[in-house]
Amino acid sequence: MILQTFKHENEFVCLAENCPDNCCKEGELILESDVMARYQAESGPFGDELRRTLATARREACDGDVWYCLEADGRCPFLNDNGLCRIVLNLGEEALSDTCAFYPRFETETPEVIRRTLTLSCPEVVRLMLTCPENLSLVRKTELTESMLKKGGKMKVTGDSLISVEDALVRELQKPEMTFAKAFSEAAHIIGCEAQPLDDTSIISVINEKEALTDEWEAALSRLEGLSAGADDSTATGRDRDLRRVLLYYLVRYLPLALPESREHEDLFENVSFAGVLRYADIACRVCAAFEAQGIMPFENALRLWAKETELDEDMLLMLLEA
């Protein structure tokens, strides 16, 4: 198979206790069955604490895994006062659940390509994307699967129908003469879909439809006065390149969901289209630019908050992708 990543994302290193935010709050702790079994068998004082904490947490089972709701203040019960994970400190990184160990990485998979991206809900990921001195670029390498190894690693890997589209988006949306105002129609042309941006009223209606996950998002939306300021003035405000990068990022991340051969497309995202993904990427840019233009919060913070509220909430993400 081919593993595809953004080149700049390969430089990611978790900031741990130095992170201005923290991924161990405002979510749920998901423990796979094998991880749960290890925790139940762990010896010593910390093993006792593990079992005691998990026994009292509100939880529900899902496909063999256990979802634990975090504490009332949104923090994981195993997060210490210094912002470090006590499971890692006591048992090592190998004791983490898959969800905790893999974050902020997300993958979409087709029969021949795994696309790995990092979510913008992580402030370090946002920083790496916006400060990358070169144009964003994609890196692809062949990952030898078990079946390929049995054949001597000589299986021909051709990728899927989206690779040439992604390469064109990377090239065209980052040309010096390109502007964000032109980027939507150019992306629609490259993707080969007929799509029009949603009007401001429709966008505001959609993003207000779901209950906010965080107080910060709810407060920001209450102050938002339309979307006319921000993206439309991106050249004057100096955000044009950043908005085109965000548009490109979300297209690369979510266009695979619209492929019939995508593993995810067969389930939750069966009604997602290329046009829907393009509109989602455009909405993200316009909302985040408006937050900054209206003095609600800096663009970087807006991106992080947008990702938390939409990417980490499947219902909200699905609603936006089908808008």
Side-chain angles (χ1 to χ4, degrees), residues 115-126:
R115 291 173 170 84
R116 179 178 297 165
T117 54
L118 306 184
T119 174
L120 297 181
S121 61
C122 171
E124 178 63 3
V125 175
V126 173

Side-chain angles (χ1 to χ4, degrees), residues 205-215 217-219 221 308-310 312-317 319:
S205 175
V206 169
I207 62 177
N208 275 293
E209 190 169 329
K210 283 286 292 179
E211 183 179 355
L213 296 180
T214 64
D215 293 339
W217 176 256
E218 187 173 9
L221 286 180
K308 278 188 178 183
E309 292 288 337
T310 65
L312 304 184
D313 182 341
E314 284 189 343
D315 291 338
M316 181 66 164
L317 177 61
M319 184 170 63

Side-chain angles (χ1 to χ4, degrees), residues 112 133 166:
E112 294 188 335
E166 292 168 326

